[in-house]
Amino acid sequence: MAIWLLLLLSYAIFPLYSSAISITNKITPGFPSSKFIQPEQQATKTTTSKLYKEKFFTQILDHFNYNPQSYQKFQQRYLINDRYWGGAGNNNSPIFVYTGNEGDIEWFAQNTGFMFETAPYFKALLVFIEHRFYGKSMPYGGSKEIAYSNSSTLGYLSSTQALADYATLILDLKKNLSATDSPVVVFGGSYGGMLAAWFRLKYPHVAVGALASSAPILNFDNITSPFSFNNIITQDFRSESENCYKVIKRSWQEIENTAAKPGGLEILRKSFRICKNYISAGSLSNWLGTAYTYTAMTDYPTPTNFLNPLPAYPVKQMCKAIDDPATGNNTFEKLYGAANIYYNYTGEAKCFDLIDDSDPHGLGGWTWQACTEMILLTDGNTEDSIFPASNYSYNDRLEFCKSNFNIEPKPSWIPTEFGAQHIHRVLKRFGSNIIFFNGLRDPWSGGGVLKDISKSVIAIVAKEGAHHVDLRFSTSEDQGGFKM
Amino acid sequence: MAIWLLLLLSYAIFPLYSSAISITNKITPGFPSSKFIQPEQQATKTTTSKLYKEKFFTQILDHFNYNPQSYQKFQQRYLINDRYWGGAGNNNSPIFVYTGNEGDIEWFAQNTGFMFETAPYFKALLVFIEHRFYGKSMPYGGSKEIAYSNSSTLGYLSSTQALADYATLILDLKKNLSATDSPVVVFGGSYGGMLAAWFRLKYPHVAVGALASSAPILNFDNITSPFSFNNIITQDFRSESENCYKVIKRSWQEIENTAAKPGGLEILRKSFRICKNYISAGSLSNWLGTAYTYTAMTDYPTPTNFLNPLPAYPVKQMCKAIDDPATGNNTFEKLYGAANIYYNYTGEAKCFDLIDDSDPHGLGGWTWQACTEMILLTDGNTEDSIFPASNYSYNDRLEFCKSNFNIEPKPSWIPTEFGAQHIHRVLKRFGSNIIFFNGLRDPWSGGGVLKDISKSVIAIVAKEGAHHVDLRFSTSEDQGGFKM
């Protein structure tokens, strides 16, 4: 009856926040394991660090109130690259700004090659601004420990404050560069794409346009079906192989049945090479579900290292492992092969931790955002879902947030502040210069803008595209690639 | 050299905040005396109270943060009139919302007859929402004493919070009325007009259009000249009579000289019928300046009772008093005659208080707003000004705000948040459905939008119009009046 597990990806734009509900209805958040990829991650950073200089801006803590504490300042990090910039003065060459999302801004810069590759054509200055409460942009003297200590300090982590940060920083930067007439275009992917679109809508006097890639701005209450997200994951796997889908679909019960047997957990531990620590049916299912979900999201056509190192077309590779005749009818061996694609493509891992608290990209703040305003609905599973059928339950979120932060989410705030209902009607004669990109293999695309709204508020839809694939660096494997 | 007095109307949208700098550079705020008009004010209220019902909405204190104190609630007042409403359902009859400004919402409702008079033609529901921290819409259990006690509590009085209040209240009201598809049009005058325009720009998903009357959204740093405001007042008086302008212009020095003589203050006290309390050259000049300023602002073509009871064309009446041959060369008698138009048109006052702390419309919160974000620049006086020549000094504001609230204004915030620079360029292809009305006799019109921006962001300019005259009830004296 599938009551034992729900894959609760509700909060996840990226890795963000994946969680499972066990029979006891506890939500245990967990980030995708990535401890094995640290060396390569490090290498990437070394290579790409020449792409930009790191700077800091003295930012105000609270833009909207005037209590004494609102006046507190913090250092906000941004990365800048002026190699291609045509300069201000008579040229008024443009400024491309990445509106940072929920993590270390270097990570996003390194995965947004599109900006570096288009900059020379537009003689653009590149700026990547880090989101408050992430990376090095911590209020309270830069102390993450203090900033994350309780709801009084975390309270200033919100999307509206982040947008006001960007407006303030951009206007100040332009003034300092004597570039007040240089047009600004904002770019962002995922939550960063939401911020880019919202920024153009709320601050048209600061940005002349936005590229909002894989921005699920419609993934809110009563607008996008809470079944949409998992329906797309289901379809991703099913499109590769019906057998693959079926093996995964029936595996949840098999895991549950095995775990319930005497010695069953040991069987599971051995099958999945789980290290000698915590194991349960729920945590194992969550660990697998996380792998399927993020693999579907990052089902890129070239080898990548965004969340974890992955081969090209990783969903196809997972299904290949599952469909492999060599594993016969051994479901666990098949699933282990699939999980290996996501968790161990480099082959370095000898065993796995089901619960991994490492957070190499500094994404932890999303849990707070998901408990306050970012109530993205993704947890429903129909009878056909690759995951166990389940309804979305707002109460699970509520309980989790109450017990973790003693706070109640405000699910109606984002639609109130930014609008989402009837977006085609609202923006048809209002707003301009926004590109919404979505790849239809991306589970977030269900909450994206998929149809043109007006002549200059347009939708680009890539049928076979994954999560903001358009923003990635081009590679030699690209079919066609970027040409101007 | 005119160092002794500056009429510092910087904060005043309406009566708001008029202040004078004496030689010691102290700023003494003062509201226009209105104690003598209370009986008539009361009468108006009784008559117009049938125009609407009073309701309350449970509003959230802080929309943008999630600290525990942000979750506090307060009761926000709104007035509603459904007499003309065509209803929701198949009709989707519209909802006209007044975005309340810095005072008691009943006062604004009673002075916004335009909405009552147009409602029947559109079968519109009328809603007037009170601005937080004004009237009965006090946070902290409705206690003005607590709400205004210090900068920690006052800190939540800001324009962005007010706009978010309106969005939240409107969406909730529409839901409760099953009128989610009824289009909302927002109306406002003065600061309320700024809020209406900003509301349409920031919340296009909540309001389909805005009438922003006498909304000086460009009256900010480096956009509108700080001399503009007083230049218009000067022109208002000069257009009636060159002699009138000259008498007022040279009077400031005469007041100063007289005050400096032994027994001079007693001469001034007698000349102006000042009650037996505080008098100084500065306070008298400020009292007179306030009268000229607000009379210019409310130079309506019909008798009114907005700030004070006034005859039709009150600037003309003031100049008539000044030009009166019966007073010969007696400047003070002439000025007294002019002041009487503003302060004592009903003839009930026997003497006047120069410093009057009464605040019948509850406008006191504007001092806080003027010390935080509403840094409207109006204090400059050219050599030709009807007031003593002076430059605008931000430092005066800074010192006042530091000593009163221990707070530093943020003059760049409003242009950052709402935009003002290059508005024609910014909104040419962004935004729609905003009407900016301005009357050119209104000193605030210098900071208004006076030219069409696009096909649906348009400017209506009334050459002989005063402060949001378009919003007033029509009268039998109207030339033409409202016809549809």
Side-chain angles (χ1 to χ4, degrees):
Chain A
M1 294 299 290
I3 50 160
W4 55 276
L5 174 121
L6 300 174
L7 184 75
L8 231 199
L9 238 289
S10 26
Y11 321 145
I13 288 284
F14 280 138
L16 310 184
Y17 197 105
S18 111
S19 37
I21 302 179
S22 71
I23 354 177
T24 56
N25 242 1
K26 293 273 185 227
I27 303 181
T28 52
F31 292 99
S33 169
S34 39
K35 62 170 66 156
F36 309 114
I37 58 159
Q38 287 294 17
E40 187 165 340
Q41 204 70 30
Q42 205 51 48
T44 314
K45 280 197 182 177
T46 314
T47 320
T48 52
S49 67
K50 291 172 192 161
L51 288 173
Y52 42 75
K53 281 181 201 145
E54 183 184 70
K55 300 218 173 192
F56 288 87
F57 174 73
T58 303
Q59 188 61 267
I60 198 157
L61 183 62
D62 183 359
H63 298 280
F64 305 106
N65 297 312
Y66 298 96
N67 323 79
Q69 64 272 24
S70 306
Y71 279 76
Q72 288 180 55
K73 303 277 170 53
F74 71 96
Q75 294 302 307
Q76 181 166 32
R77 178 164 61 152
Y78 63 101
L79 312 175
I80 191 162
N81 173 325
D82 62 5
R83 194 179 311 160
Y84 314 112
W85 199 34
N90 292 332
N91 294 323
N92 290 335
S93 291
I95 303 174
F96 289 178
V97 174
Y98 187 92
T99 49
N101 25 330
E102 73 292 9
D104 187 313
I105 190 61
E106 290 201 77
W107 184 47
F108 296 115
Q110 290 158 18
N111 282 282
T112 310
F114 180 73
M115 287 174 67
F116 293 96
E117 292 176 1
T118 49
Y121 297 95
F122 293 96
K123 296 185 177 171
L125 178 70
L126 296 175
V127 180
F128 299 82
I129 313 179
E130 192 161 70
H131 195 295
R132 57 167 55 201
F133 285 83
Y134 292 98
K136 293 184 182 175
S137 301
M138 290 292 162
Y140 305 100
S143 162
K144 184 172 181 177
E145 201 182 341
I146 299 174
Y148 277 60
S149 60
N150 60 56
S151 58
S152 283
T153 52
L154 267 173
Y156 299 102
L157 168 50
S158 76
S159 57
T160 46
Q161 297 284 7
L163 293 173
D165 287 343
Y166 299 153
T168 305
L169 191 155
I170 291 169
L171 290 177
D172 187 83
L173 183 66
K174 287 179 75 173
K175 204 172 166 189
N176 287 341
L177 294 171
S178 302
T180 49
D181 279 338
S182 282
V184 170
V185 179
V186 287
F187 295 74
S190 197
Y191 171 51
M194 297 163 81
L195 293 172
W198 291 337
F199 192 79
R200 168 61 183 156
L201 289 171
K202 295 282 191 187
Y203 296 91
H205 48 288
V206 184
V208 298
L211 170 58
S213 179
S214 299
I217 60 169
L218 307 181
N219 223 122
F220 291 91
D221 204 11
N222 295 323
I223 302 164
T224 297
S225 158
F227 298 100
S228 160
F229 189 87
N230 291 323
N231 278 349
I232 296 172
I233 298 173
T234 301
Q235 184 50 33
D236 286 349
F237 281 84
R238 219 166 173 174
S239 72
E240 297 295 350
S241 138
E242 187 72 13
N243 178 64
C244 172
Y245 154 73
K246 282 183 176 164
V247 168
I248 295 172
K249 184 168 175 54
R250 71 174 174 242
S251 70
W252 312 109
Q253 193 61 52
E254 211 169 325
I255 291 168
E256 176 80 347
N257 294 345
T258 304
K261 281 188 222 166
L265 285 177
E266 273 316 298
I267 295 172
L268 291 172
R269 186 190 299 280
K270 276 185 192 159
S271 301
F272 290 97
R273 280 67 161 176
I274 305 305
C275 310
K276 294 287 171 197
N277 50 26
Y278 183 72
I279 186 169
S280 67
S283 63
L284 175 63
S285 296
N286 187 34
W287 181 77
L288 289 168
T290 299
Y292 307 143
T293 299
Y294 291 121
T295 301
M297 212 182 293
T298 57
D299 191 30
Y300 300 124
T302 59
T304 56
N305 183 3
F306 179 46
L307 300 173
N308 284 356
L310 284 177
Y313 300 110
V315 173
K316 190 186 292 290
Q317 295 304 318
M318 276 192 165
C319 282
K320 205 170 152 189
I322 284 171
D323 292 342
D324 188 355
T327 48
N329 285 327
N330 189 334
T331 302
F332 296 158
E333 197 58 23
K334 289 175 180 294
L335 299 186
Y336 169 72
N340 244 310
I341 305 283
Y342 180 73
Y343 288 117
N344 193 24
Y345 188 60
T346 61
E348 289 172 33
K350 299 301 166 211
C351 68
F352 300 99
D353 285 341
L354 291 186
I355 294 170
D356 178 7
D357 291 333
S358 71
D359 179 12
H361 307 304
L363 307 162
W366 188 256
T367 311
W368 171 260
Q369 295 195 258
C371 273
T372 50
E373 56 186 23
M374 290 296 162
I375 318 301
L376 297 154
L377 310 183
T378 58
D379 306 334
N381 285 289
T382 64
E383 287 298 325
D384 282 342
S385 176
I386 197 165
F387 303 115
S390 65
N391 275 317
Y392 167 75
S393 162
Y394 172 71
N395 280 338
D396 295 335
R397 176 83 59 114
L398 184 64
E399 276 176 30
F400 173 81
C401 299
K402 275 189 171 171
S403 76
N404 271 260
F405 301 111
N406 193 27
I407 214 162
E408 206 167 311
K410 292 189 197 162
S412 65
W413 170 244
I414 293 290
T416 296
E417 177 66 8
F418 298 111
Q421 285 278 14
H422 309 301
I423 193 170
H424 284 79
R425 190 171 77 189
V426 170
L427 296 185
K428 191 173 181 182
R429 290 186 188 83
F430 184 97
S432 54
N433 302 345
I434 305 175
I435 299 170
F436 290 99
F437 170 87
N438 278 285
L440 295 188
R441 290 180 77 83
D442 175 11
W444 289 112
S445 63
V449 175
L450 300 177
K451 283 182 186 167
D452 288 354
I453 291 178
S454 67
K455 271 188 187 173
S456 72
V457 180
I458 64 167
I460 297 178
V461 173
K463 196 168 165 253
E464 300 291 336
H467 202 49
H468 51 69
V469 60
D470 57 324
L471 295 185
R472 302 192 59 74
F473 275 103
S474 61
T475 73
S476 54
E477 291 102 332
D478 274 350
Q479 294 176 4
F482 176 75
K483 293 281 186 303
M484 278 193 73
Chain B
M1 294 301 290
I3 53 162
W4 57 275
L5 174 120
L6 302 174
L7 184 75
L8 230 200
L9 239 290
S10 27
Y11 322 145
I13 286 283
F14 280 138
L16 309 187
Y17 197 105
S18 108
S19 35
I21 301 179
S22 70
I23 356 177
T24 55
N25 241 0
K26 293 275 184 226
I27 303 181
T28 51
F31 291 99
S33 169
S34 39
K35 64 170 66 157
F36 308 114
I37 57 161
Q38 287 295 16
E40 186 165 343
Q41 203 71 30
Q42 206 52 46
T44 313
K45 279 195 182 175
T46 315
T47 319
T48 52
S49 66
K50 290 172 194 161
L51 288 174
Y52 41 75
K53 282 183 200 140
E54 184 184 69
K55 301 220 173 189
F56 288 87
F57 174 73
T58 301
Q59 188 59 272
I60 197 158
L61 183 62
D62 183 359
H63 298 280
F64 305 106
N65 297 311
Y66 298 95
N67 324 80
Q69 66 271 24
S70 307
Y71 279 76
Q72 288 179 54
K73 302 277 170 52
F74 70 96
Q75 293 303 306
Q76 180 165 34
R77 179 165 61 153
Y78 63 102
L79 312 175
I80 192 161
N81 172 326
D82 61 5
R83 194 177 311 159
Y84 315 112
W85 198 34
N90 292 332
N91 296 321
N92 289 335
S93 292
I95 302 173
F96 290 177
V97 174
Y98 187 91
T99 49
N101 24 331
E102 73 291 10
D104 188 310
I105 190 63
E106 290 200 76
W107 184 48
F108 296 115
Q110 290 158 18
N111 282 281
T112 309
F114 181 73
M115 287 173 67
F116 293 96
E117 293 175 1
T118 48
Y121 297 94
F122 294 96
K123 297 185 177 171
L125 179 69
L126 296 175
V127 180
F128 299 81
I129 313 178
E130 191 161 68
H131 195 294
R132 55 166 57 199
F133 284 84
Y134 292 98
K136 294 185 182 174
S137 301
M138 291 292 163
Y140 305 101
S143 163
K144 184 172 182 179
E145 201 182 341
I146 300 175
Y148 278 59
S149 60
N150 60 55
S151 57
S152 282
T153 52
L154 268 173
Y156 299 102
L157 167 50
S158 75
S159 57
T160 46
Q161 296 284 7
L163 294 173
D165 287 342
Y166 299 154
T168 305
L169 192 155
I170 292 169
L171 290 177
D172 187 83
L173 183 65
K174 288 179 73 173
K175 205 171 162 188
N176 287 341
L177 294 172
S178 304
T180 50
D181 279 338
S182 282
V184 170
V185 180
V186 287
F187 295 74
S190 197
Y191 170 50
M194 297 164 80
L195 293 172
W198 292 337
F199 192 79
R200 168 61 182 154
L201 288 172
K202 295 284 191 186
Y203 296 90
H205 48 288
V206 184
V208 299
L211 170 59
S213 179
S214 298
I217 60 168
L218 307 181
N219 223 121
F220 290 91
D221 203 12
N222 296 321
I223 300 163
T224 298
S225 159
F227 298 101
S228 159
F229 189 87
N230 291 322
N231 278 348
I232 295 172
I233 297 174
T234 301
Q235 184 50 34
D236 286 349
F237 282 84
R238 221 168 171 172
S239 72
E240 297 297 349
S241 140
E242 186 72 13
N243 178 64
C244 172
Y245 154 73
K246 280 184 177 162
V247 169
I248 296 172
K249 184 170 175 54
R250 69 174 175 242
S251 69
W252 312 108
Q253 190 63 52
E254 213 169 323
I255 291 168
E256 177 80 347
N257 293 346
T258 305
K261 279 188 223 166
L265 286 176
E266 274 314 299
I267 295 173
L268 292 172
R269 186 190 299 280
K270 277 184 191 158
S271 302
F272 290 97
R273 281 67 161 176
I274 305 306
C275 309
K276 295 285 173 201
N277 51 25
Y278 183 72
I279 185 169
S280 66
S283 63
L284 176 62
S285 296
N286 187 33
W287 183 76
L288 289 167
T290 299
Y292 306 143
T293 299
Y294 291 120
T295 301
M297 213 182 293
T298 58
D299 191 29
Y300 300 124
T302 59
T304 55
N305 184 3
F306 180 44
L307 299 172
N308 285 356
L310 283 176
Y313 301 110
V315 173
K316 191 188 290 292
Q317 295 304 319
M318 274 192 167
C319 282
K320 204 171 154 190
I322 284 171
D323 292 341
D324 188 353
T327 47
N329 284 329
N330 188 335
T331 303
F332 296 158
E333 197 58 23
K334 290 176 178 294
L335 298 186
Y336 170 73
N340 244 307
I341 305 283
Y342 181 74
Y343 288 116
N344 193 24
Y345 188 60
T346 61
E348 290 172 34
K350 299 300 167 210
C351 68
F352 301 98
D353 285 340
L354 292 185
I355 293 171
D356 177 6
D357 291 334
S358 72
D359 179 12
H361 307 304
L363 308 160
W366 188 256
T367 311
W368 170 261
Q369 294 195 258
C371 273
T372 49
E373 56 186 23
M374 288 297 161
I375 318 301
L376 297 154
L377 309 183
T378 57
D379 306 333
N381 285 290
T382 64
E383 287 299 325
D384 283 341
S385 176
I386 198 164
F387 303 115
S390 65
N391 276 316
Y392 167 75
S393 164
Y394 172 70
N395 280 336
D396 295 334
R397 176 82 61 112
L398 183 63
E399 275 175 32
F400 172 82
C401 299
K402 275 188 173 172
S403 76
N404 271 262
F405 300 112
N406 193 27
I407 212 162
E408 205 167 314
K410 293 188 197 163
S412 65
W413 169 245
I414 293 291
T416 297
E417 178 64 10
F418 297 111
Q421 285 277 14
H422 310 301
I423 192 171
H424 285 79
R425 190 170 77 192
V426 169
L427 296 186
K428 192 174 180 182
R429 291 189 187 82
F430 183 98
S432 55
N433 302 346
I434 305 175
I435 299 171
F436 291 100
F437 170 87
N438 277 285
L440 295 188
R441 290 179 77 83
D442 176 11
W444 288 114
S445 64
V449 175
L450 301 177
K451 284 182 186 165
D452 289 354
I453 292 178
S454 68
K455 271 188 188 172
S456 72
V457 180
I458 64 166
I460 296 178
V461 173
K463 194 165 166 258
E464 301 291 336
H467 203 48
H468 51 69
V469 60
D470 58 322
L471 295 185
R472 301 191 59 74
F473 274 104
S474 60
T475 73
S476 54
E477 292 101 333
D478 275 350
Q479 294 175 4
F482 176 75
K483 294 280 186 300
M484 277 195 74

